[in-house]
Amino acid sequence: MEIQLLFFGIATDLVGKNTMLYKIEENSTIIELKKSLISNFSGLKNINEFAIAVNEEYADDDLIITHRDVVAIIPPVSGG
């Protein structure tokens, strides 16, 4: 199935774009998506430190992704 990925902050630099359509297996979870992204984009090796949102709501690793979901990859933000 196909989902839309949105990348923010440093994640955009690590994958070279801020959005893409991405194919994953039916009934994949967030943790399976993370593993796939690490496999395809080595720069995302620290993705477990990033927040993941699905359809504008933060998601846990066990959430099942459905067809046409929009998944945002949000790196940690620091400031002062």
Side-chain angles (χ1 to χ4, degrees), residues 3-22:
I3 61 171
Q4 181 178 8
L5 293 178
L6 306 175
F7 299 95
F8 294 92
I10 190 70
T12 300
D13 297 333
L14 296 173
V15 299
K17 49 180 83 174
N18 60 6
T19 186
M20 74 170 65
L21 294 177
Y22 194 77

Side-chain angles (χ1 to χ4, degrees), residues 8-78:
F8 294 92
I10 190 70
T12 300
D13 297 333
L14 296 173
V15 299
K17 49 180 83 174
N18 60 6
T19 186
M20 74 170 65
L21 294 177
Y22 194 77
K23 291 190 186 285
I24 59 173
E25 296 292 322
E26 293 282 334
N27 298 315
S28 291
T29 61
I30 295 294
I31 195 72
E32 291 166 333
L33 172 63
K34 288 179 180 180
K35 290 176 184 176
S36 175
L37 288 171
I38 291 169
S39 173
N40 289 301
F41 302 99
S42 61
L44 292 176
K45 65 181 180 260
N46 294 328
I47 197 168
N48 289 317
E49 299 170 10
F50 293 17
I52 307 293
V54 176
N55 302 324
E56 300 182 11
E57 292 190 25
Y58 287 108
D60 293 323
D61 283 345
D62 59 351
L63 178 82
I64 295 173
I65 303 165
T66 60
H67 182 64
R68 299 274 184 195
D69 275 347
V70 177
V71 179
I73 312 298
I74 308 163
V77 178
S78 63

